[in-house]
Structures are given as C-alpha cells and as structure tokens.
C-alpha cells in the first residue's frame, strides 16, 4: 500500500521534473520546440494538424536523441490528458512520430504506455483518464503502420485492449472496434500463430455480444484459410455461423446491436458483416427468412424494424437477381411501405430519406440493367391503396441507364393504360381498413395509381440530371396530352397512343388532374435546355437558350402540330370535349397565323414575330381547357397582328395615323390580352406573359403603359381593376368558380418552384381593425332586431308579461305552447341563415380581395420587365408616382403576408430597377420643365409624410430626377477634334471627374437648389419632420453642385436648429461638405478662409449652449460638434489659414466640467482628440495604493458576507462562542447586525457574486459563523490571494 502511494506521488509530481532536470537543456535551448506540444493539445483541428507536421519536421532536422526521447515521453503523457480534445491530438502525433522514426522500438513505447497509464496505480478519479491513455496508446501503435511487423507487440496490444473491457462505461465499444481494425491489417500467419490463441475466448463466445460476434465475422472474412469449418466447429460447435440452431442467438445479438445504434441511426457493422457471411456460406435464404422476417421484423419495435430496412438497403448491391426479386417482394418491403405511410404524421421518424440513399448508391454503382429495372419496378409497385409510397419526383432516376429509362417509361405507360394491381404489393393501414367504404375499391386504386404515374413521367422530363433524348421527352408529352383531351376510337399505327386501349376508362376527375399536369409539363418544357453532347448544343446552352428543340422549334409548337394531327384523325381519335364550329375555326386561324409567322421568322429574326408566335401557340393550346375564353383571345390576337403589320406597311401609313385616335393601337390590345392571361393562376401564363411583354417593350406606348398602371392604382376600386384585367363582365365569378381547379393546376405546375414572389395562396388572412369595428356594430344591430322580433312572437301568444299588466295565474295550454315553439324555432332558423349568409358574403369578399391583390403582384412583373428593358425610355418618368402611391398606400394598410409581399416587391422594383439603375433617359431637354415640376411635387410629398421610410422613397425619386436632368458630361454632344495629343487626353482625364460632377446639363440649378433649400429648412426648423440628415448627406455626396448652394444654410443651422438633433445633423452636413474636393475647388482662397472661420464661430457658439449630458441626444450632438471642430482645426493648421481658434480652448475646458461628461467613452475620446490639436494633453490617472496599516484599520469596518439566513447565523454564532469557551455578551451581535445590516444589505447583494467563488473555498465554520473576527478573515483572504 505504501509502495502504491509512493508510486502515485511520483506520477503526480512527474510532469514537474523536466523543469528541474532539463533546465539547462531543452527548456532553455528552444522554446519553439515546446510550443509544439501546446498546439497539439488545442481544440482547433487545423492548429493540431499543423503542429504535428511541424513537430515531425523539426525532429527530422534536429536529429537529437534527447529531444526524441522527450517527445515520446511527452506524447505518452498526453494520451491521458484531462481535456478530451487533446487526447486524439497526442495519439495522432505519436503515430506520426513512430511512422517516421522506425528505429524507435514499438515494444519500448508500449511498455511506457502500460507503466504510465496503469489503472491499478492511479487515483480513483484518474482511472478514466488512464483507460483512455491505454486505448489511445494502442490506437497510435495501430495507426503507425508498423504494428503488424512486430507480432509480440500485436499480441500485447490485443491483450491490453481485452483488459479494457472492464471500463466499458467509459470506453464503450472502442476497444473492440480497434481490435477489428488490427485484425483487418494483420497477416494471416501472424493471426494463426499469435492472435488466435489470445482471441480464442472471444471467438468462442461470439454469440454473447455484438462486438464479439463482429470480431468473429471479421476474422472469418479476413482469414478464411485459418477459420475453416473444422476450426469453427471447435470454437462454436457448428461448422458455420448461420445455422438453424444459431438463429435465435443471432436474433438476440442483432436486437442488442439495433438498440445500441438507436441514437446514431446507422447500420451496425455486425449486421452488414453477418449478411456477407450468410451470402458466403450460401445460407442467405435461411438468414433472411428466419433471422430477419421471423426474428427482427416480428419484434414490433422501432430499432429492430429500422435494422431490417437497413439490411434491405445494404443487401441490394450484394444479391443476385433471383435473391433481389425475393427480397423486394417480401414482408420487409411491405412493412417498410406501411412505415412510410404512417410516418407522414408530424414528430415521427422518417426512414424514407435513408432508404433513398441506399437505392441511389445501388443504382449509381450497378452496371446490370436487369437489376436496375427490377429495383425501380419493385419500389414503384409498393402501393398504399394504389398510390406508390415513393415520391413521384424521385432523384434516384438520374442514375438509370438510357435503355433502362426507356423501358421504365414504357412500364409506367403500360401501368397507366392497363393497371395491373395484382402485380403491385398493395397494403392498407389499420385506420384505412376501418374507414374503408363498401364501394368499388378497384376504381379508387386505379385513380390513385394514375394520379401518381403522370407526375412521375413529368419528373423525368423536369429533372435536368436524367440522361434523356428529345424523342423520349416528346413521347411523354404526347402521351399526357392525348389522355388529357382525347379518346381512342380505333387503333392507328400513325398515332402510337391509340395502339393500347384503356382497360379502365378515364373519368372526368382523372382527366382534369391530367390536364392540369399537362400545363405544368408545358411550364417545364418552356424552360427545358437543349439536350445532346454536341459542341453546338453546348454553345447554345451557354447562351441560356431554352424551350426549343435542337433544330430551333418551340416545344409547344411540336405539341400543337401533334394536336392538329389528332384533330384531323376523327375516325380513330375523338376529343373528350369536341370543338364547336366557332372553336374549330379559331383553331384553324391560329394555325395559319403561326405558320405565317414561322415562315417570316425563317427569313428574318424579329422579337415581335416570336412574341406573337408564342402567344398564338399558348392561347391555342388552351382551347382544349377553356375554349370560350381562348376563342376571344385568338380573335384579339389576330386583330393585333393585323394592326401591327398594317402600321408597318408604308402604303397604309396615312390610314393608320388617321385611325390612331379612334381605335386603340395593337400594343394596347396586346397589353390587355397579357393582363387577361395574368389573371389566370398559371405559372406558365405568368412566365410567357413576361417573356412576350419583354419582346414588345420597344413598342409600348404611353396609353399601353397607363393600362398597366391603372391596375396597380390603389385609389381605383377593386371592381374596376378586375374589369381592366378582362373584357368579360363575369370574369370574377368565373375566377371564383374555377378556384379549386386552378389550385390543382398550380400544384400540377410545380408548387416548389423558386420563382420570386410566387402566386399567393387563398389562405392569407386579411387583417384590419376597421372591419372588426364594423362587424361589432352590425352584430349589435342584428341582435337588437332579433330581440324585437322575438318579443313580438312571445307577445303574440301572451307568453311575455307586459309592463303594468297583471299576470295570469293560469299557464298556456299545450297547443299554444307547441305553436309558440314552432314560431321560435322558425325565427332562430332564419336568424342562423342570415348570419351564415353574411359570413359567406364576407368570405367571398375576402377571397376576391386576395385574388385581386395576387393579380396586382403578377402585374408588377410587367413593370419590372419594362424598367429593365427600357430604362432609357422617357415613359419611365410616368411610373415614378404610381409606384410611390402604392408604397405610400400599402405602408399603413393591413399587415397580411400577401400585402407585405406586394409592398416588398414594389419597393424592390422602385429602389433597384429605377433609382439605382445605371441606365436612364439621356435626352430630356424637351421635357425639363415637366421633370422640374415632378421633382417639386415629390419633395413636397416627402415633407408631408408621417412615416420617414416613405419620405425616403420620395426623396430618392427626387435625387433620381436630379441625376437625369444633370446628366453626364459625355451625354451632351459637342464637336471634338478627331485627333488629340496625349497631353490633352491626360489633362482631360484629370479634370473630367470635377467637370462631370459640376456640370449642369438640363438642370435648373437655382430652381432645384431652392427646392432642396426649402426641404432643408423644413428638416432643420420643424420638430416632427419626416426628413432625415442621411437624405441630405446623400444629396451632398452625389451632387456637389447643389452642396455648394446649401452649404451656407447648413452652417447657419448649427446654432439655429430647432433641436439638439438638428444641430448635430447640421454639423455632420457641414463636415461632409467641407471634405469634398469639388466644394473647395468652387471657392477662392478668401472665400474658403471666411467659410472655415464662420464654421468655427458657429461650432463655438453651439458648444456654449451645452449644459449637460443627461440624455443620449446631447451626447450625439456634442460628438458631431467635436468631430467637425477637429476637422476645422486640422484644416486650418494644415492649410495655414488665418482662422482664430483661441476661443475654442476655454469653451472646451468648461465642457469637461459638466455633469455626465465621463459617462460616454466616445465623447471622452473625441474630446481629447480635439484638445490635443489645441496643445492640451490628457491627464494620466495614478492609482494610489493604501498602506498596509491603514488597510488593517479599515478592514474591520467591512461586514463579512455570508450565504445563510440571519436567524441561522445568529443561532450558530452562539454555538461557536460556547465551543470556544468565550462568553458572549448579550445583545452585542444582534445590535451590530441591526446597525450594519440595513446599510450594507444592498452592498452585500452586489458583492455576493464576486465574493461567492472565493468564499466557497473557505472553511465552513469560519465562513458561516465568525462575524466578529473581521481582521482574521481579511488576513486569511489576503494569504489565499497571495498563494494563488
């Protein structure tokens, strides 16, 4: 025992020894060498790796044995470091050192590890660290790569890991995993001669724990020549692992392994290795049926079920085709399908993403097309009442080979036409079985299956990672279009879709779903990049050419041609909704127009022609869905095309100009058509409308733009805005009736697309306090009317006593009571109907309001397109006020999410597409008066706003107009000589920035300066001004020509500002203006000197008015004044101006004496920066230390802080005094507590947190009870502080 204590003492003092013994060696020789070990112990991984690399390199270059010995000793000690992040660093460093220096024997290092980290010789609290030290030591030996070269060290390492099994609570299964790693690197001869005997006990008890079974399985796979069946029979009692007798043991081990990885949610290694051994022993069927299905799967526990699913996913790449078919059609797959359906509830663990990763890795690495097809069909056939459990958009499809993909598409189409539900692995949950109706279940399953197949086909087209060809895309598009709008009458080889008749006819609900999905497919085709690997295709894709085939034909044009073929084959194909005569004529006219435009486009590329062609095709294909609306749109498009061509014709130029005033131009009609298309909740319509409008932007007129702006006008009635959208009177009724179908179309077109400001849903709630007040008033009126009617009914049957009338003692007879009940019931029924009718009316109004606002959000797309395409058009000026009106009206309105989206998008367009754009109208000389008036209106509105954020938008618009009117020097045409010398060019380059900033252009400098002067006066003299100093700072920076005009006023407002805030902002404005080079160059030296002098006088007068620093506004004002003062003094000193600053010194000195000056560090620092320029230095504070004698005298005055209640302290104090034999004076302790306790109560609370850490280490009795011995406690505290 004594020897053990001495050893423990040596271990504790051992880290200190190098400081003494090596004092003249390593420690004084090289500090850099010791820093490596500090960096190795740091938690940052990058620092650790760099330190290890530097240490190895240093030892290579040093070649000193004493440093290498010290390194090994230091690294071995670090293996058991207290910090968990340091242990792996020391382990890796030791492995790297042993790998580089092969002359270091591993046996000696292992002996050091055993001796240093012996769990039997360390203190009990260090046993955990010692166990980790042994483990990381063996791990470093294994990672060095030299362990297998020394069999004896391998044996001792394995034995050491076996001895660590008793510390499982600390190390868990890390030693077993390390043993497995050692086995995987050990040669077969070493295993047979050395390790087999040491591991015999573990191998023979393999069915006890998952770790021991895993060890056996790894040994069987690694050393098949050693662990032969005969050897296994001696170890296990059986010649193989997977036998009927061992199945129960294996099941229990697998259950234990499944529970051990419950939190990690991973596949335990023992499960995968057991699967591989079962395949190797040709006993996979037995293992899968008995151990997995009848064992784990019947356990009905989550970890066991998840392990079955992981075994299924892991087995896919290992199985043969027959085994794959067996596994994919078994109970595990069905059980997995039930899990996917039930796990859709919230807060449920979902295994589907993990299974998807298994299938994805299998398909990626599987070269066998048969296996790929089998897996895809199996998972697509796992259905819940006809609906497959895998999502319709499944990313794993991207790994399918092209022949497999074609075969899979054919299988999907065949399942759509002839649903073979018998081949599907269909199931129903318990709740579905309970709620199942007695109707035709087959029809329901077929509908659900077809509802999944169509989106799956569309996902193949939509996924850009799927390798496909144009023929496949067109085949899918034809298939979906045909079954959405046509029926098979007779087979025709020209139309492949007619060759397979539908086993179960399509109902109207299914056709509606397919039709909506088809228009979603059109949206994807419109953005589909070119397919192919040729250089031409790659070049076109770099130009972002989309929506066309390789030969340049639009995808929608291919579908229209196919639809034309179908309509011409009336004997073999019949439309689901046959065209009327008018609709067929509209279709034929559309085809003729498209053909004419197509021929015209071949001759010369024209944006206008492409826009018309795309619109004709889109509206024409919508004839199959909404024929009545589409016919009118085709007629309007036809008239627009004719008017556009007629306008271009030189022969009819006079006619066109005479009719221009009477009939609307074709651009205006086109805009109305686009607005009508935008009113439909279709992403395809929205995208095509934006594309078409972008192409016709150069032709847009003021009237056409005004039509769009009228829709966005917040002052317009919502009913008028709905009429502007379409020319139909009942447009809104149709929109409300078609809302459910439109929502389905939205889903079919991909609700997960990342389009900015996408269509808002109807679930957005509209807030507003005004509506609630109206509702309360209406309820009061309704309640009053209902009360009067109820009184009439009761009075009619004498059931209610009248005032002043004598009450009859006799009650009403039964007939009267029955009649009264009927009347009351009818009255309440009518009242309920009235209430419900009002609720329905309000709900309809709410939905209608949401639709209108949703439409306005879409119309903003057109404004954004116009501003991006035609930023240099003078029509842009007409957009400024409408956009500002929307921002002003929406800022204070209801706060629903849809309204916020509308406001956010409007503000974004105004700020980024209008105010910040680099392109603007260059020639404004003919409309400069109009723009000046607009600027005046904007600044007036900015001053009248109640919200500063809205005022900022108006002010920004005014600055935009200043930039447009001012222009650049390069904008104004001037006759310049063709040839210029280098010297002239250099001079122009130097002077051009100033000239451009000070040029006037079409700007009326005096008029604009007067406008901004009025705005500055409003800001400086009005208390509640909506303007801000940042607005004028922006004005000064961007337009120095106006800054010069406003500078004098800004200097004056340093003292004349209405409040401290305005005075501080005036200082900031003056400082910003004086810092600008253009302002200095616009003045003479005399004017500049006078200006600096006036500014110094104003700042001095402003600082004199400061009386204190009570509020933050005072501090901000002083800071701005001091910063301006520093700039003025520095400018006067550097430029040697004749400016007197002598008056500033006394003013600044008096400033530091005011109350609250020291509260703000910013004020203090800025103040002394100014004072240094005036020759004053900041006084240094000297800390005066009290003498020791004085401290001892004053120490008893401080009260000892305690942590226990006063009552307990008093009681225990008496007890302590009795124990010490000192008689206590009655009342002395209580009187002292009474005098000092009240005064020091708050003080003790403040100091309790600071003194708590130190007092917690004091002796219990002294810290709690001795309140009288203050000097003794103080002295003890000082002694402890000195010791620390």
């Amino acid at each position: 025992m004594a020897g053990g204590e001495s050893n423990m003492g040596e271990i504790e003092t051992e880290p200190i020894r190098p400081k003494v013994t090596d004092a003249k060696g390593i420690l004084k020789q090289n500090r850099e060498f010791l820093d490596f070990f500090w960096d190795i112990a740091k938690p940052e991984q990058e620092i650790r790796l760099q330190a290890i690399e530097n240490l190895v390199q240093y030892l290579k270059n040093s070649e000193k044995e004493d440093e290498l010995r010290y390194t090994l000793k230091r690294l071995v000690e670090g293996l058991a470091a207290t910090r968990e992040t340091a242990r792996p660093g020391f382990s890796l460093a030791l492995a790297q050192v042993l790998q580089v220096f092969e002359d270091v024997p591993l046996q000696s290092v292992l002996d050091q590890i055993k001796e240093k980290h012996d769990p039997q010789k360390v203190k009990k609290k260090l046993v955990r660290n010692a166990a980790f030290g042994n483990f990381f030591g063996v791990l470093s030996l294994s990672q060095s790569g030299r362990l297998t070269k020394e069999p004896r060290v391998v044996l001792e390492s394995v034995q050491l890991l076996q001895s660590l099994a008793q510390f499982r609570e600390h190390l868990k299964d890390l030693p077993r995993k390390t043993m497995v790693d050692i086995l995987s690197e050990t040669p077969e001869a070493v295993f047979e001669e050395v390790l087999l005997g040491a591991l015999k006990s573990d191998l023979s008890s393999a069915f006890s724990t998952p770790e021991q079974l895993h060890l056996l399985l790894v040994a069987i796979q690694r050393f098949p020549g050693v662990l032969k069946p005969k050897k296994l029979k001696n170890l296990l009692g059986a010649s193989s692992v997977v036998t009927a007798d061992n199945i129960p043991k294996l099941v229990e081990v697998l259950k234990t392994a499944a529970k051990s990885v419950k939190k990690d949610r991973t596949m335990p290694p023992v499960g995968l290795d057991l699967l591989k051994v079962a395949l190797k022993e040709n006993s996979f069927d037995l293992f899968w049926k008995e151990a997995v299905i009848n064992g784990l799967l019947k356990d009905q526990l989550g970890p066991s079920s998840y392990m079955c699913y992981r075994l299924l996913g892991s087995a896919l790449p290992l199985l043969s085709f027959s085994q794959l078919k067996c596994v994919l059609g078994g109970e595990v797959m069905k059980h997995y399908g039930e899990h996917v359906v039930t796990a859709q509830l919230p807060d449920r663990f979902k295994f589907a993403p993990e299974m998807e990763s298994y299938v994805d890795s299998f398909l990626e690495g599987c070269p066998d097309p048969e296996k790929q097809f089998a897996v895809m069909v199996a998972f697509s056939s796992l259905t819940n009442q006809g609906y497959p459990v895998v999502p319709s958009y499944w990313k794993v499809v991207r790994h399918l080979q092209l022949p497999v993909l074609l075969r899979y598409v054919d299988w999907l189409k065949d399942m759509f036409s002839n649903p073979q539900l018998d081949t599907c692995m269909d199931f129903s949950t318990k709740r579905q079985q309970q709620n199942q109706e007695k109707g035709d279940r087959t029809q329901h399953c077929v509908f659900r299956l077809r509802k999944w197949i169509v989106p799956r086909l569309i996902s193949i087209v939509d996924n850009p990672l799927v390798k496909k060809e144009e023929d496949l895309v067109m085949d899918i598009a034809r298939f979906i279009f045909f079954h959405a709008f046509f029926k098979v009458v007779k087979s025709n080889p020209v139309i492949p879709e007619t060759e397979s008749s539908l086993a179960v006819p399509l109902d109207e609900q299914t056709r509606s779903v397919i039709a909506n999905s088809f228009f979603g497919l059109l949206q994807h085709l419109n953005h589909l990049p070119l397919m192919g690997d040729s250089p031409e295709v790659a070049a076109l894709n770099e130009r972002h050419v989309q929506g066309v085939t390789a030969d340049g034909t639009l995808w929608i044009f291919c579908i229209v041609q196919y639809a034309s073929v179908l309509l011409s084959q009336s004997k073999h194909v019949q439309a689901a909704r046959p065209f009327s005569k008018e609709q067929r004529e509209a279709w034929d006219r559309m085809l003729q127009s498209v053909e004419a435009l197509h021929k015209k486009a071949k001759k010369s590329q024209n944006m206008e022609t492409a826009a018309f062609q795309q619109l004709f095709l889109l509206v024409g294909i919508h004839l199959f869905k909404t024929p009545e609306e589409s016919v009118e749109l085709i007629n309007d498009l036809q008239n627009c095309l004719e008017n556009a061509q007629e306008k271009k014709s030189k022969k009819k130029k006079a006619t066109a100009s005479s009719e221009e005033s009477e009939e609307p131009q074709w651009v205006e009609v086109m805009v109305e058509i686009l607005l009508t298309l935008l009113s439909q909740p279709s992403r395809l319509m929205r995208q095509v409308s934006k594309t078409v409008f972008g192409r016709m932007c150069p032709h847009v007129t003021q009237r056409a733009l005004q039509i769009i702006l009228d829709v966005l006008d917040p002052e317009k009635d919502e009913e008028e805005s709905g009429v502007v959208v379409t020319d139909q009177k009942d447009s809104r009724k149709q929109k409300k009736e078609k809302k459910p179908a439109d929502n389905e179309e939205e889903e079919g077109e991909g609700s997960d697309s990342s389009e900015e400001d996408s269509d808002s849903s109807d679930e957005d709630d509209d807030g507003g306090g005004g509506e609630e007040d109206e509702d309360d008033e209406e309820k009061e009126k309704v309640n009053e009317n209902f009360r009067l009617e109820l009184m009439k009914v009761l009075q009619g049957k004498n059931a209610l006593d009248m005032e002043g009338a004598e009450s009859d003692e006799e009650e009403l007879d039964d007939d009267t009571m029955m009649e009264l009940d009927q009347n009351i019931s009818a009255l309440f029924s009518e009242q309920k109907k009235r209430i419900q009718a009002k609720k329905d009316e309000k709900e309809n109004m709410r939905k209608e309001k949401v639709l209108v606002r949703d439409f306005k959000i879409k119309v903003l797309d057109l404004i954004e397109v116009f501003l991006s395409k035609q930023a240099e058009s003078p029509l842009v000026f007409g957009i400024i006020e409408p956009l500002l009106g929307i921002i002003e009206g929406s800022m204070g309105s209801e706060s629903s999410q849809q309204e916020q989206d509308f406001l956010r998008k409007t503000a974004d367009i105004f700020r980024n597409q209008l105010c910040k754009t680099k392109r603007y109208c260059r020639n404004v000389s003919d409309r400069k008066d109009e723009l000046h008036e607009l600027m005046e209106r904007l600044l007036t509105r900015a001053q009248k706003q109640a919200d500063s954020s809205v005022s900022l938008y108006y002010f920004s618009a005014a600055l935009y107009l200043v930039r447009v009117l001012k222009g650049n020097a390069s904008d104004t045409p001037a006759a310049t000589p063709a040839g210029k010398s280098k010297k002239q060019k250099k001079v122009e380059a130097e002077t051009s920035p100033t000239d451009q900033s000070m040029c006037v252009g079409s700007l009326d400098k005096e008029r604009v300066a007067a406008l901004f002067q009025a705005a500055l006066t409003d800001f400086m003299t009005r208390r509640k001004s909506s303007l801000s100093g940042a607005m004028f700072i922006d004005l000064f920076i961007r337009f120095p020509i106006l800054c010069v005009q406003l500078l004098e006023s800004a200097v004056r407002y340093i003292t004349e500002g209405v409040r401290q805030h305005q005075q501080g902002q005036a200082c900031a404005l003056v400082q910003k203006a004086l810092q600008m080079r253009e302002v200095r160059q616009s003045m003479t030296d005399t004017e500049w000197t006078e200006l600096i002098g006036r500014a110094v006088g104003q700042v001095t007068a402003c600082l004199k008015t400061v009386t204190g620093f009570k509020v933050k506004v005072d501090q901000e004002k002083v800071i701005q004044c001091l910063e301006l003062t520093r700039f003025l003094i520095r400018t006067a000193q550097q430029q040697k101006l004749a400016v007197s600053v002598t008056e500033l010194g006394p003013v600044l000195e008096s400033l530091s004496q005011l109350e609250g000056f020291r509260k703000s560090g910013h004020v203090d620092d800025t103040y002394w920066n100014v004072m240094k320029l005036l020759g004053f230095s900041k006084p240094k504070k000297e800390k005066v230390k009290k003498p020791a004698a004085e401290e001892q005298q004053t120490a008893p005055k401080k009260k000892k802080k305690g942590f226990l209640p006063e009552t307990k302290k008093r009681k225990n104090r008496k007890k302590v005094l009795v124990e010490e034999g000192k008689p206590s004076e009655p009342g002395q302790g209580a009187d002292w507590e009474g005098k000092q306790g009240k005064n020091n109560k708050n003080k003790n609370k403040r100091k309790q947190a600071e003194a708590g850490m130190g007092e917690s280490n004091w002796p219990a009795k002294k810290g709690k009870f001795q309140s009288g011995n203050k000097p003794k406690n103080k002295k003890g505290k000082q002694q402890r502080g000195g010791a620390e």
Side-chain angles (χ1 to χ4, degrees), residues 4 138 189 223 229 399 454 589 665 740 927 995 1001 1046 1254:
V138 177
F223 314 110
H399 297 303
V454 173
R589 289 199 308 272
Q665 297 185 11
R927 57 179 70 231
D995 294 340
L1046 302 179

Side-chain angles (χ1 to χ4, degrees), residues 560-708:
V560 167
Q561 288 180 327
Y562 175 69
S564 181
V565 172
L566 293 179
L567 291 174
S568 63
Q569 300 287 337
S570 57
K571 295 182 179 179
H572 302 86
V573 176
Q574 181 182 359
R577 295 172 60 183
F579 283 170
S580 63
K581 183 179 179 181
E582 182 184 6
Q583 295 165 4
R584 184 57 188 266
E585 291 176 355
W587 173 267
D588 294 337
R589 289 199 308 272
M590 181 271 299
L591 290 178
Q592 294 174 3
S593 302
V594 169
E595 191 65 28
L597 291 171
H598 190 63
K599 292 179 180 179
K600 187 177 180 181
K602 287 182 178 180
K603 296 180 181 178
S604 61
Q605 293 291 336
N606 190 355
M607 300 291 287
E608 181 184 342
T609 303
F612 273 110
Q613 184 179 0
Q614 196 169 11
L615 263 185
F616 269 116
L617 292 172
L618 181 63
V619 177
I621 207 69
H622 270 78
L623 271 171
F624 293 96
K625 183 181 180 183
T626 55
E628 293 82 5
E629 297 177 2
S630 301
V631 167
E632 296 186 5
L633 289 176
I634 288 176
N635 295 333
D636 293 340
L637 280 174
Q638 195 78 31
N639 296 332
C640 286
L641 180 61
E642 293 175 357
N643 293 335
Q645 293 175 350
E646 183 178 345
K647 186 177 180 181
K648 288 186 176 182
S649 177
K650 295 181 179 180
K651 298 180 181 179
K652 300 182 179 181
K653 187 174 182 180
T655 307
S657 59
S658 62
E659 294 178 355
E660 185 175 359
S661 59
E662 299 178 1
E663 296 182 1
Q665 297 185 11
W666 67 272
V667 180
E668 300 166 18
V669 181
M670 280 289 290
V671 166
E672 292 182 353
I673 293 174
L674 293 180
L675 292 176
T676 305
L677 296 179
L678 282 177
S679 66
Q680 302 182 18
S682 169
R683 296 185 187 276
L684 176 63
M685 289 288 193
R686 184 176 185 178
Q687 187 62 38
V688 172
S689 299
K690 289 175 62 177
T691 304
V692 171
F693 185 75
R695 291 174 176 175
M696 56 181 284
C697 273
H699 308 283
V700 172
T701 61
Q702 178 64 43
R703 292 174 61 183
L705 188 61
Q706 190 61 41
I707 293 175
I708 300 175

